[in-house]
Amino acid sequence: MLPSSLLNLSRTGLFAGLLAAAVALAVPAARADDSSIVLQGQQGWLFPGWGSLTEVDSRGIEASTALIKDAQQALAARGVQLQVLVLPDKTRFYQDKLPAGKALSAQVQQRYQTILASLHKAGISAIDDEAVLRQVKGSGQEVFYRTDQHWTQAAADATAVATAEQAKRDVPALKGSAGSGMVLGSEFKDRRFGDLAERFLTPEQRKQTGRETFTVRRQAAANGLLDDAPAPLHVTGHSMVQPYFGFPQKLSNSIDRPVSVNWKPGNVGQWIMLLEYLESPDFKRNPPQVLVWQMFEPTYAQGPQASGLWDNASIMSADAWRQRLRAAAGK
């Protein structure tokens, strides 16, 4: 299955089943401000309802950063540079489209920058993706789809370029050969319902909301010539970094090297995703020089022990997570 595979973006056949993978959604357990798992906003805009619009868990943010620091140190001992990619919440870019009576509190308005400041204070590499996406939106392009929880290709591309630039600053000499990055294919349009509409609206509501046009890249014919080339950069995360939305392809193109990626949909959480990669044979055989660990702003403060938020198989104590981390990252 594509969602749980470890994919190297120099391999042929990467896009086999790509459209089918797009419906494998990352839908965490609900923790909304009201009883709805999806917020139906103005002009047909839909928003995930599992992130608070009013409260910020400052203690949880610091606890998560402490665990990430442990990961950074464990990876550094293996010669791996950690880069944390926190993707901002959809609501902060479309506050004018929120349902009547809904608004972000002053604390939530500052939540992304609070997370970023926590990471930087701990000496952890992280780009300001909120600033990146604001530039995209300021240019007249959408950064999220209207009825979907995922970002647009324009947003994914801009973030990939910024991620590549940070990776080059962190590790100026990436292994591999020039010309081994992914060649970007032509684009096509995929007309369908967004995931929030497909999963959480009634048939009549879906009809009123309508389908959306998704921009997707085809696989370029030139790709796959270096099938066995090890990737100096690996991405681990959720459905935002799946190939359907274009982030790993653009990242590979931008660093001009192969990129590998493991992702999984659903409410598994960022903690188990990192462990799954570090415990894999791929990491043990070919640890990357740079590991990009993707997270979400609304769920950043939720630790590995967040019962009722992650699925049962993903839940563990912080100490248990640290033990697995150190065992997996050890030589």
Side-chain angles (χ1 to χ4, degrees):
M1 286 291 292
L2 182 63
S4 58
S5 297
L6 178 69
L7 302 175
N8 187 313
L9 295 195
S10 64
R11 296 177 185 169
T12 53
L14 171 64
F15 286 86
L18 182 59
L19 292 181
V23 300
L25 311 173
V27 181
R31 192 177 188 178
D33 288 340
D34 56 25
S35 60
S36 176
I37 197 171
V38 60
L39 303 180
Q40 298 185 52
Q42 311 294 321
Q43 301 170 8
W45 279 80
L46 303 178
F47 299 90
W50 46 82
S52 177
L53 302 180
T54 58
E55 298 179 2
V56 174
D57 182 0
S58 300
R59 183 176 297 179
I61 288 173
E62 292 306 317
S64 291
T65 298
L67 290 178
I68 295 167
K69 184 66 178 179
D70 288 341
Q72 180 201 48
Q73 293 174 336
L75 289 167
R78 290 292 304 274
V80 179
Q81 167 71 37
L82 178 65
Q83 180 181 346
V84 174
L85 174 58
V86 182
L87 303 185
D89 192 14
K90 178 180 180 178
T91 56
R92 66 176 55 255
F93 298 96
Y94 299 99
Q95 296 181 51
D96 60 324
K97 302 296 193 299
L98 285 170
K102 295 288 184 181
L104 302 187
S105 69
Q107 294 91 336
V108 173
Q109 294 274 14
Q110 293 297 316
R111 182 175 58 194
Y112 187 87
Q113 294 304 318
T114 298
I115 292 170
L116 200 63
S118 178
L119 287 167
H120 289 165
K121 183 179 179 181
I124 297 166
S125 178
I127 66 167
D128 185 347
D129 199 42
E130 180 183 14
V132 171
L133 298 193
R134 289 208 181 279
Q135 288 185 344
V136 175
K137 193 168 187 296
S139 72
Q141 301 178 88
E142 301 293 358
V143 292
F144 284 88
Y145 288 107
R146 179 175 56 88
T147 64
D148 199 281
Q149 66 176 308
H150 296 99
W151 56 6
T152 62
Q153 184 177 280
D157 280 358
T159 302
V161 170
T163 300
E165 291 172 350
Q166 183 63 48
K168 292 174 183 177
R169 286 192 291 269
D170 291 342
V171 182
L174 290 174
K175 297 178 181 178
S177 304
S180 60
M182 196 167 204
V183 177
L184 299 180
S186 61
E187 297 176 355
F188 68 93
K189 304 299 183 182
D190 180 23
R191 184 77 175 167
R192 62 180 178 83
F193 289 114
D195 61 357
L196 297 174
E198 181 69 35
R199 294 202 63 175
F200 302 117
L201 298 188
T202 66
E204 181 59 31
Q205 288 172 328
R206 282 198 298 273
K207 182 178 179 181
Q208 293 175 359
T209 301
R211 290 177 170 83
E212 283 198 80
T213 300
F214 290 72
T215 300
V216 188
R217 284 197 185 96
R218 293 182 174 89
Q219 182 179 5
N223 292 328
L225 298 178
L226 301 172
D227 287 355
D228 297 321
L233 188 151
H234 179 82
V235 180
T236 186
H238 297 283
S239 58
M240 293 281 272
V241 298
Q242 65 174 291
Y244 182 83
F245 297 104
F247 174 79
Q249 301 97 296
K250 184 67 174 180
L251 181 56
S252 174
N253 179 267
S254 296
I255 65 168
D256 195 23
R257 295 292 188 276
V259 165
S260 56
V261 56
N262 73 300
W263 65 276
K264 186 176 286 184
N267 55 322
V268 294
Q270 62 264 30
W271 309 106
I272 194 67
M273 290 309 303
L274 179 68
L275 292 182
E276 285 190 1
Y277 171 59
L278 297 183
E279 292 171 346
S280 72
D282 302 85
F283 175 77
K284 298 184 187 308
R285 285 195 302 265
N286 293 302
Q289 290 173 278
V290 180
L291 195 157
V292 176
W293 189 8
Q294 177 255 311
M295 303 180 186
F296 286 119
E297 174 195 348
T299 57
Y300 181 92
Q302 297 169 6
Q305 75 288 351
S307 181
L309 296 170
W310 311 133
D311 67 8
N312 289 337
S314 302
I315 295 171
M316 67 193 84
S317 68
D319 285 342
W321 184 84
R322 285 188 176 97
Q323 291 174 4
R324 285 181 63 178
L325 166 75
R326 289 164 184 159
K331 293 184 179 179

